[in-house]
Amino acid sequence: MTDRSSSERVVHVPLGERAYDIIIGEGLIERAGGEISTRIKGRKAAIVTDEHVAPLYLESLMDALEADGIDATSFTLPAGEKTKSFDNLQKVCDVLLEARIERNDTVIALGGGVIGDLTGFAAGIVRRGVRFVQIPTSLLSQVDSSVGGKTGINARQGKNLIGVFNQPDLVLADTGVLNTLSEREFRAGYAEVAKYGLIDRPDFFTWLEENWREIFAGGPARTQAIAVSCQAKADVVVADEREQGRRALLNLGHTFGHALEAATGYDSRRLVHGEGVAIGMVLAHDFSARLNLASPDDARRVERHLREVGLPTSIRDIPGDMPGVETLMAAIGQDKKVKSGKLTFILTHGIGQSFVADDVPSAEVQSFLSEKL
Ligand code: GLY
């Protein structure tokens, strides 16, 4: 990670000919034209965004591109997970071809994870791949989905089942846009920030415990937290770009979290992804303690911090009725981290000491969960 100025950080992702920079700082949307034109030759761009983000930032981005001689068109989709469909993939591909986006032109995803995943997929397949820039507008997408090249759409059979690894050419994480997020949305993204400390950066977790108020308030601590998170993700992605092993660590808290999201019918009034991950991370630490892999004190420490920032930390914090343990186990069985009937979980030996366990007995999980319901 390098400091470009006192308020801007650059994280380089060294993936050979797919290497790219993640720039983190305030006001990057207004400077997007300059950042893109120094890296990408083509003079045309197509921006894909959604109905929530377009009124806030589309005009500034179009103006910024025009100021640097980039001719941009835009396409606005409905907001929400349902947008990641075949139908919308086709629409985006149509728009890119109609706009005559060539291999050296740029497709820009301006939005959260849904827009980034769908747009990155389209950019990877139109003309066998055109240039692709991520401008993530949620904390969750700045620290997770915009980095690492996972792109795709949902299928009838499940989420994210159709897609390609397509690394972006540039990520511009404009920290100023986070000021328009709701507290709840910011907190949900923060769960993924804390995750990086819990995976393998214990000092970062301690720093978060001490500095979370400054991170929530904005300013240098927020930029630093996002930059460290992007660096942590980049390190994992560089070690295992296509998730043959170590990259699975990024799923800490996600197997339980996904099952809880499914159990609420993906009703965002009850639970959003980052909240599911927060509860899932506490469960993963508790479960590790139950298996005598870690101290129960670590689980309590994780719970204390996430509760202090205002995240839910137990299944009982989810409003409304939850289904029985069999339904949760069925959802865990549907999760993609199941191989040959064995459950794969990210477990831990303590704060910052997570590991991939691919032989977890499902009976242990079931009896653990039935006590937590
Ligand atoms: N969000 C998990 C990954 O990028 O691998």
Side-chain angles (χ1 to χ4, degrees):
M1 190 197 322
T2 51
D3 294 0
R4 206 157 67 155
S5 67
S6 59
S7 58
E8 229 167 78
R9 304 272 182 287
V10 181
V11 172
H12 183 65
V13 188
L15 282 170
E17 56 185 26
R18 295 182 309 291
Y20 57 98
D21 286 336
I22 305 160
I23 308 178
I24 303 121
E26 191 142 356
L28 282 164
I29 289 183
E30 282 94 66
R31 298 197 296 285
E35 299 293 353
I36 292 172
S37 56
T38 53
R39 291 172 172 84
I40 296 176
K41 277 204 291 266
R43 296 289 90 194
K44 263 199 223 153
I47 304 162
V48 181
T49 188
D50 74 28
E51 282 165 353
H52 289 166
V53 175
L56 298 169
Y57 308 115
L58 182 56
E59 201 180 320
S60 337
L61 179 57
M62 298 278 278
D63 290 348
L65 296 174
E66 200 184 312
D68 272 274
I70 300 171
D71 178 21
T73 51
S74 72
F75 183 53
T76 302
L77 286 158
E81 190 66 33
K82 285 200 171 72
T83 293
K84 275 170 65 172
S85 65
F86 257 124
D87 192 31
N88 284 323
L89 176 68
Q90 179 162 9
K91 284 185 187 148
V92 173
C93 291
D94 271 350
V95 166
L96 302 185
L97 292 170
E98 289 291 328
R100 299 187 189 286
I101 295 293
E102 302 285 344
R103 289 225 175 108
N104 275 321
D105 293 326
T106 311
V107 174
I108 302 173
L110 173 69
V114 166
I115 288 297
D117 286 5
L118 170 69
T119 309
F121 187 19
I125 57 177
V126 160
R127 298 190 201 279
R128 298 197 176 85
V130 297
R131 312 300 294 271
F132 171 44
V133 173
Q134 291 262 26
I135 306 188
T137 56
S138 64
L139 179 58
L140 189 73
S141 57
Q142 292 192 351
V143 298
D144 186 13
S145 57
S146 69
V147 177
K150 280 190 180 175
T151 72
I153 56 172
N154 299 328
R156 198 159 36 82
Q157 292 81 355
K159 283 172 85 171
N160 297 322
L161 292 182
I162 301 161
V164 292
F165 284 96
N166 180 31
Q167 299 293 342
D169 291 282
L170 174 67
V171 181
L172 297 175
D174 186 333
T175 52
V177 306
L178 304 179
N179 297 328
T180 56
L181 296 182
S182 69
E183 276 255 336
R184 185 180 177 208
E185 213 180 337
F186 189 87
R187 274 201 298 266
Y190 180 85
E192 300 275 0
V193 173
K195 181 186 78 176
Y196 294 111
L198 296 175
I199 290 175
D200 60 1
R201 295 186 184 226
D203 295 349
F204 181 51
F205 189 75
T206 305
W207 182 79
L208 292 174
E209 288 176 310
E210 287 160 5
N211 292 282
W212 69 269
R213 286 182 184 79
E214 286 77 5
I215 295 167
F216 276 67
R222 180 183 286 181
T223 303
Q224 182 66 6
I226 296 170
V228 174
S229 300
C230 289
Q231 183 68 64
K233 176 145 189 188
D235 289 350
V236 173
V237 168
V238 167
D240 177 23
E241 187 180 0
R242 288 178 168 255
E243 199 165 328
Q244 300 301 304
R246 192 172 167 74
R247 185 164 180 163
L249 290 174
L250 298 173
N251 294 322
L252 175 64
H254 283 60
T255 300
F256 287 126
H258 285 158
L260 296 174
E261 281 184 274
T264 59
Y266 298 97
D267 179 350
S268 60
R269 287 165 303 186
R270 295 178 66 196
L271 192 74
V272 293
H273 176 72
E275 293 169 342
V277 170
I279 300 171
M281 290 192 300
V282 175
L283 289 173
H285 281 76
D286 261 335
F287 188 48
S288 299
R290 182 188 165 104
L291 298 175
N292 290 322
L293 296 165
S295 155
D297 293 347
D298 288 325
R300 296 293 67 79
R301 189 175 154 196
V302 175
E303 182 177 22
R304 197 164 50 241
H305 178 55
L306 297 178
R307 190 170 288 285
E308 196 174 22
V309 308
L311 281 161
T313 55
S314 102
I315 299 178
R316 291 174 195 156
D317 290 337
I318 302 170
D321 291 337
M322 287 302 278
V325 72
E326 288 79 15
T327 307
L328 284 181
M329 289 306 293
I332 286 173
Q334 291 290 323
D335 200 87
K336 61 181 188 284
K337 294 170 281 296
V338 179
K339 276 186 201 140
S340 332
K342 303 281 186 202
L343 296 179
T344 297
F345 269 86
I346 311 305
L347 299 179
T348 188
H349 293 300
I351 306 284
Q353 298 176 64
S354 298
F355 65 96
V356 183
D358 54 14
D359 207 1
V360 176
S362 103
E364 284 278 358
V365 181
Q366 179 151 351
S367 82
F368 168 73
L369 274 181
S370 48
E371 284 166 24
K372 298 286 171 187
L373 279 169

